[in-house]
Structures are given as C-alpha cells and as structure tokens.
Amino acid sequence: MQDPRIQRFKDRLNTYSMTIVHADGVYRHLYFHNPNANYPGKRSFNVVTWPGYACIYGDWCDSHVITREHDMLTEFLNVSEISYDYWEEKMRLAGRHQILRETSSEACDRWIDQRMQDLAEEWPYLTEDELHDIRDEYESCFDGNDILDWRQLEELGDFTTENHGDIPLAISDAWELNFAEYTIDFLVACEGLRFAAEQWAKYQAQGD
C-alpha cells in the first residue's frame, strides 16, 4: 500500500513550475517552486545534475544525492513509478551520510493495529473490553520516545480471558521487528527528482 504522504507530495508538485538556471549537456541546474503561492520560495527545491549524479536540495528537503547512470535525469529518474528500495540503495551509494530511514512511532502503531486484528481473528470470542485491555498491554511497551521496546514485548505475560482461557501476548522474536520507515525528506527527494525528470522531458519534447 502506498504511503499516504506520497500522494500529498504529488498533489503539491502538480502546482510547481520549472525554471532553468543552467543547462549544458548533463550539467544542469533546475529550480522548482509554486509561482502562485503566497511565499513562492516555501517548499521550493533545486535539482542539479552532473555526469553520473543528481542532487536535490532546497527549502522542502535536505540535500540528497543519487548516482547510477551517466545522465541521471533522462536515463534513471524519468519513471512513472519509483522503486524506493532501489533508489535508497543508489542514494546510500552516493552519500552514506544521508538519513533515509528512521524508527517511527507510526510504524509501531500500525504493528499494534495489525497484531490486534490478528488476535481478533484467532480469538473471535474476545469481547471489546478484552481487546481494549490487550491493546493496553501492548501499548505499555512504548518507551519514552513512543517506540515499542522489543525487550518488553518479549517479557509480556498471558492475558486471562473471562471464558476462554489464557492468551499468550509475548512476542518471542520481537528483536527482529523493524519499526523503521522512510523519512519524509527521502520521500520528498524521490518525488522531487522524479518530477524534475518528468518536467525536463516535457521541456525537451517541446523543443523538438
């Protein structure tokens, strides 16, 4: 399922215009902003390309560099759908300092939602009050940063139901759980780069 943030980025980009600051072969500097916004520079960004690389930076996201093909704008970034895992790999190759994923409280919330759904299907006779109490047990494993502590998840005991015995709540392999997801900056960088390639392709087509 697509991250709902991505569609918001795409909707915003549909209002953006491209200004060519410099273009000489694969050496390009493109500027993108919404000319109708009250503050046109807000969430603006630049895309700079040179042989084998493309860099996005500006008001909307921190600097991200990606590398793969000689002309990144036409040979790599101009796609209808982004392979985020692959682009992450190529960004890490270009600049290991770039933070592309981070542990997310939202990912933890989604894990609890899925866990509760699984338990409700496995134990269809659980009451709403019992399900609420079980959720409380899992939510008690949040640390001070609203991230689930895998040690606490492994140490959870059984939940005693009123009529159907005990339900084990502990997650034996909780240390393997991954609550990291792509940062907003990474998603904006990917969408901005793809959009830049799309707009450049349209510009080139108009000149033919």
Side-chain angles (χ1 to χ4, degrees):
M1 183 175 65
Q2 179 174 277
D3 189 316
R5 296 175 295 181
I6 293 173
Q7 189 57 52
R8 294 200 298 271
F9 302 152
K10 288 182 176 180
D11 291 343
R12 181 179 293 276
L13 284 169
N14 286 334
T15 68
Y16 276 42
S17 296
M18 178 178 75
T19 299
I20 300 173
V21 180
H22 178 80
D24 181 11
V26 298
Y27 295 91
R28 311 181 188 92
H29 178 184
L30 311 176
Y31 175 68
F32 298 88
H33 72 295
N34 179 359
N36 298 316
N38 292 333
Y39 302 97
K42 185 177 182 180
R43 293 197 174 100
S44 61
F45 62 93
N46 300 265
V47 171
V48 175
T49 66
W50 63 98
Y53 292 86
C55 173
I56 182 172
Y57 67 94
D59 183 69
W60 201 2
C61 67
D62 291 336
S63 174
H64 287 70
V65 181
I66 188 168
T67 182
R68 179 62 175 89
E69 302 293 346
H70 175 72
D71 186 345
M72 290 294 292
L73 211 58
T74 64
E75 298 172 0
F76 184 86
L77 300 171
N78 189 23
V79 294
S80 58
E81 296 293 334
I82 296 171
S83 174
Y84 296 98
D85 289 346
Y86 188 50
W87 285 30
E88 177 190 23
E89 174 188 322
K90 297 311 175 187
M91 280 191 187
R92 290 195 182 282
L93 182 65
R96 297 183 181 276
H97 66 285
Q98 299 170 132
I99 299 174
L100 307 180
R101 295 180 188 243
E102 61 186 2
T103 304
S104 162
S105 60
E106 289 80 8
C108 294
D109 290 336
R110 288 195 295 272
W111 180 86
I112 290 180
D113 288 342
Q114 184 61 54
R115 178 64 176 162
M116 295 306 303
Q117 180 178 326
D118 292 342
L119 286 173
E121 292 175 356
E122 184 177 356
W123 301 81
Y125 301 108
L126 285 170
T127 67
E128 289 297 321
D129 286 342
E130 287 173 331
L131 288 170
H132 182 273
D133 291 342
I134 291 174
R135 177 179 285 273
D136 284 345
E137 290 291 326
Y138 284 115
E139 291 181 347
S140 72
C141 296
F142 279 112
D143 63 17
N145 296 314
D146 293 329
I147 302 300
L148 287 169
D149 185 323
W150 65 265
R151 296 175 185 82
Q152 293 187 53
L153 287 172
E154 290 187 345
E155 294 172 358
L156 283 174
D158 295 342
F159 178 83
T160 302
T161 66
E162 184 174 347
N163 299 309
H164 303 285
D166 293 342
I167 298 177
L169 299 184
I171 308 298
S172 60
D173 55 354
W175 63 274
E176 294 183 340
L177 295 174
N178 184 1
F179 298 126
E181 63 180 5
Y182 290 127
T183 65
I184 290 178
D185 263 4
F186 170 76
L187 294 177
V188 169
C190 288
E191 293 301 327
L193 287 166
R194 189 209 61 78
F195 181 77
E198 177 185 72
Q199 297 306 303
W200 179 257
K202 289 180 180 179
Y203 169 77
Q204 291 290 93
Q206 291 171 359
D208 293 339

